[in-house]
Amino acid sequence: MQAIQYLDNAEVAELNELSEVLLKINRCAAVAKGGRRFSFSGLSVVGNRGGIVGYGFGKARQVPGAIEKANKDGRKHLMRVHLTAAGSIPHDVEATFCGARVRLIPASEGTGITAGAPVRAVCEMAGIRNVLTKCYGSTTSINVVKATLLALASLRTPEQVSSLRGVEL
């Protein structure tokens, strides 16, 4: 499996219509002598619904700060996704991150996105319109999102496969 190739700052600056979806807010408590001290972490998915998607994770003492940091972090972790003309993915793909395993299966036109909340958010922000998915193992949102992005990063276009095999289409 290959590593995720993130977009550089010049490419990100050219993108103007990025939208964010807040996926999860998590509250964490640290016990101090005066009582519990709460902090919050936020997970967001950022994309342009046209082949570019990323995720962000931010932590702060207040919820708005965590959301803002997550959105800002998401703009730093954008990647390009290969889509078909039908708004699906080119082939079956499976990826694992920690305990989460995600499988993405291409679907025909009109199927829609059959997925849980984390995978659905990533697919919608990437611009995928027709896909079937299944999550195995852990359902922790951050791990499922990272596994989904690893799966999307390992997609190859028919042109890439033909050049690797030395066959003309």
Side-chain angles (χ1 to χ4, degrees), residues 85-144:
S88 188
I89 54 177
H91 55 85
D92 289 23
V93 66
E94 190 170 315
T96 304
F97 186 87
C98 289
R101 196 166 98 227
V102 174
R103 184 173 194 173
L104 304 175
I105 304 162
S108 59
E109 186 69 44
T111 304
I113 300 173
T114 306
V119 181
R120 176 181 296 275
V122 172
C123 290
E124 284 177 354
M125 286 292 130
I128 299 171
R129 296 189 309 272
N130 302 298
V131 70
L132 304 171
T133 67
K134 180 66 182 162
C135 284
Y136 304 100
S138 171
T139 56
T140 307
S141 296
I142 183 88
N143 291 340
V144 171

Side-chain angles (χ1 to χ4, degrees), residues 14-121:
E14 293 174 7
L15 301 173
N16 51 5
E17 294 189 17
L18 288 175
S19 55
E20 301 100 4
V21 169
L22 181 65
L23 208 54
K24 186 155 176 81
I25 291 285
N26 191 31
R27 187 181 77 172
C28 181
V31 179
K33 67 179 181 181
R36 292 190 191 98
R37 186 179 310 131
F38 294 107
S39 64
F40 298 89
S41 64
L43 174 65
S44 71
V45 178
V46 180
N48 69 348
R49 301 179 195 269
I52 292 178
V53 68
Y55 79 98
F57 191 71
K59 294 191 268 187
R61 295 289 303 272
Q62 302 294 325
V63 174
I67 294 170
E68 190 177 318
K69 284 183 181 179
N71 290 340
K72 191 174 181 182
D73 188 48
R75 292 175 184 273
K76 295 178 190 173
H77 295 100
L78 293 173
M79 59 175 261
R80 202 171 299 279
V81 178
H82 303 292
L83 304 175
T84 63
S88 188
I89 54 177
H91 55 85
D92 289 23
V93 66
E94 190 170 315
T96 304
F97 186 87
C98 289
R101 196 166 98 227
V102 174
R103 184 173 194 173
L104 304 175
I105 304 162
S108 59
E109 186 69 44
T111 304
I113 300 173
T114 306
V119 181
R120 176 181 296 275

